[in-house]
Amino acid sequence: MEDYWKSTVADVDPQLLQSIIGRLLDFGEQRLAAMEAAGIVRSVLSLSGPGVQAERDTATAIRKAQLANDFLAREVEKNTARYAAFAHLPMQDPLAAADELSRCIKDLKFCGAMINGHTNGQYLDDHALDPFWARADELGALIYLHPADPPAPMPVLEGHRALKRATWEWGVETGSHVLRLIFGGVFDRFPRVQLALGHLGETLPFLLWRFDSRAKLYGVKLARKPSDYIRQNILVTISGMFCAEPLHCTIDALGASRVMFSADYPFESIQEAGHFMDSVPLDEAVRADIAFNNASRLLGLS
């Protein structure tokens, strides 16, 4: 995991790398002080990607996912008033991932799961993963889809390293992944599944009409319009998008009840995130819903 983040910020700043790793590994005073400074009451913690999804050996992925979840459960248990958790899953084995999701929701009291994009090139619309989606549907467990590197470099970005990963590449990869789920019929097969996306939905809320128009043009056979799935099966957070205009567009497109606050700590400034949530022009009832009420309702937080 450390090697992954070294490659992510290799050309940025070695001190920044060490700072990020230090904050990722801290569950005590440093993290709590940052939360206090930003006015954050409760944080949902998760393993940073790609985690065990990068493992080639399935048995190793299963074992390490269980260890990671047990470790996180112990840390959350030390301060349940401030922390909750997302499960980390071995998506190499759909049944093992489903069983681990059940264990984390029922036994460890986690509030959902985070999946870090594709798993060794397998995307989540693959029918082989239907047993996992069936379990998520049955449990009513929120699944947060986090960005990951694409399986192969995007030729259009070659020669422009600054456009790769968090700047643009991850958004294209993750938005496309979600469209595979929609156009591949996952939400028709498992209509209760709720999928969360960061970065105000990876541009999807801004393209609703076009998705509907092109689906009709190409004769895509779905039970609903693509925009209906985005409005009814997709939730978004404001992580890494602390800007009023796209937030207002997303609220208009999806409704305020589908938007949640997220700080994206430690990769974004938690103080900037908190200040933005406190100061962005919003009706105060909408601000309260986005800042806490929606997450409380959707994740079962108190």
Side-chain angles (χ1 to χ4, degrees), residues 1 3 17 46 53 66 69 85 90 101 124 166 171 186 204 227 242 251 255 259 261 271 277 288-290 302:
M1 185 63 62
D3 290 342
L17 169 65
S46 60
Q53 288 177 246
Q66 293 170 345
N69 290 324
L101 178 63
L124 292 168
V186 170
L204 299 187
S227 63
F242 309 134
I251 293 171
V259 183
F261 172 80
Q271 290 83 6
M277 192 68 255
D289 285 346
I290 294 174
S302 58

Side-chain angles (χ1 to χ4, degrees), residues 207-228:
L207 292 165
L208 299 181
W209 180 90
R210 189 159 185 82
F211 295 144
D212 291 347
S213 171
R214 298 308 93 174
K216 183 177 180 180
L217 175 68
Y218 291 119
V220 177
K221 303 299 182 184
L222 295 169
R224 292 175 277 160
K225 296 184 297 184
S227 63
D228 290 335

Side-chain angles (χ1 to χ4, degrees), residues 202-254:
E202 312 291 3
T203 75
L204 299 187
F206 315 115
L207 292 165
L208 299 181
W209 180 90
R210 189 159 185 82
F211 295 144
D212 291 347
S213 171
R214 298 308 93 174
K216 183 177 180 180
L217 175 68
Y218 291 119
V220 177
K221 303 299 182 184
L222 295 169
R224 292 175 277 160
K225 296 184 297 184
S227 63
D228 290 335
Y229 300 99
I230 296 172
R231 288 191 174 104
Q232 297 165 17
N233 295 93
I234 305 295
L235 305 153
V236 306
T237 74
I238 71 169
S239 62
M241 289 288 283
F242 309 134
C243 183
E245 292 84 359
L247 173 60
H248 291 147
C249 287
T250 303
I251 293 171
D252 288 344
L254 306 185

